[in-house]
Structure formats: C-alpha cells, structure tokens
Amino acid sequence: MKRPDIILTAEAGKSADDHWVTATSTPGLAEDLLREPQDAAASNEPEHAIRCRACLHELTADKYIMSVEGSHEHMQCNPYGITFVFGCFRDAPGCLVAGEAEQEDSWFGQYHWQMALCDNCGRHLGWCFTSASAQPFFGLILARLQSGGTSE
C-alpha cells in the first residue's frame, strides 16, 4: 500500500510513535485520500476505505471527504506548539468520540471539539467538531491514516 509523503519531527525525548509528534506535509501528501469524493453508487466503483495506520481498522471512506472553510486539508497548531495536518470528513463510523465538547482553543470558531479515537485500538486520530448551527465533521490526522482497499 502506498504511504503518504510525510515528514515527522519528534520532539526531544519523544519517538515518532508518541502522540506528540509534529506532522508536516510535503507535496503529494496522501493524494489517495485527497481524491474528489464521488458517489460510489452512481459511478459503480466501490468506495475506498480509509483505515487506522496502527491497526488497519476501517474508520471512514473516501465518499465522506469534505471541505471546511474552503479546504479538505488543514494545518493547525495547538496551544502546546504541536502542529497537526488533518483532513476533514463528514463521518467516521470507525471512530469513537471521547470527552466533553470544548469550545476553548477550537480551530473553527463556531465549533466545539472532542477527541476522535480509533474504535479498535484507541489511538488518538483527531477530533470531532460539532456546532449548533453547522454540519458536524471529523478532522483526522493524515499521518495516522492509511488508504486501504474497498469498504467491507
């Protein structure tokens, strides 16, 4: 399977497998995840699964790829100085949403955020963003995803 073109920079004392890793995209980042979404039924092509890189659990599919504020891919830095590159998805049935919805430090003004974890292995994969006035979505860290075959 093709791996996305990622540069991982571990902080002092941390390894690339730790949660506190800076992911910086390079040209061609996860091109297989950035295809224009298509209606799988209309095109007679199977939807392509997007999986947890750690355990290969199916998280979502290419049909759920969406744009938020004009882009699918976003790069944001949290209050601890850790930068994440993540893609936006309308749904991620293979993710478990955990914790209380928080407004503080949200990257998207009208949205609250909660952690999104792999429902199989529990790895932190990103965030679920919800709003009373807008469509909810998942922001999944691209370095922690893998495109992998057709949906089950």
Side-chain angles (χ1 to χ4, degrees):
M1 294 180 195
K2 180 182 172 196
R3 294 184 63 131
D5 202 7
I6 300 280
I7 297 171
L8 292 176
T9 307
E11 293 182 11
K14 301 286 186 179
S15 74
D17 290 330
D18 288 329
H19 292 286
W20 303 110
V21 173
T22 300
T24 305
S25 66
T26 58
L29 170 66
E31 289 175 2
D32 50 340
L33 297 180
L34 300 177
R35 287 187 307 270
E36 286 296 315
Q38 298 179 7
D39 180 353
S43 68
N44 291 329
E45 290 186 25
E47 62 186 59
H48 292 87
I50 298 172
R51 301 177 182 279
C52 172
R53 185 174 297 278
C55 72
L56 301 180
H57 177 64
E58 186 173 333
L59 303 169
T60 188
D62 58 358
K63 72 178 185 177
Y64 294 120
I65 291 172
M66 67 178 290
S67 290
V68 173
E69 296 182 354
S71 182
H72 163 69
E73 185 178 327
H74 294 266
M75 181 185 298
Q76 296 288 345
C77 185
N78 73 11
Y80 301 101
I82 301 158
T83 301
F84 295 96
V85 178
F86 58 93
C88 300
F89 298 86
R90 278 186 290 283
D91 197 8
C95 284
L96 173 68
V97 177
E100 295 295 319
E102 299 282 340
Q103 173 66 40
E104 188 174 349
D105 300 320
S106 180
W107 294 316
F108 303 97
Q110 64 184 355
Y111 287 89
H112 290 73
W113 60 271
Q114 294 173 271
M115 301 289 280
L117 310 173
C118 175
D119 196 26
N120 185 56
C121 72
R123 184 165 193 205
H124 172 234
L125 297 173
W127 307 269
C128 177
F129 293 93
T130 56
S131 169
S133 61
Q135 177 183 4
F137 68 94
F138 285 82
L140 301 180
I141 302 166
L142 295 177
R144 298 182 186 173
L145 306 179
Q146 179 172 310
S147 180
T150 56
S151 293
E152 298 167 351

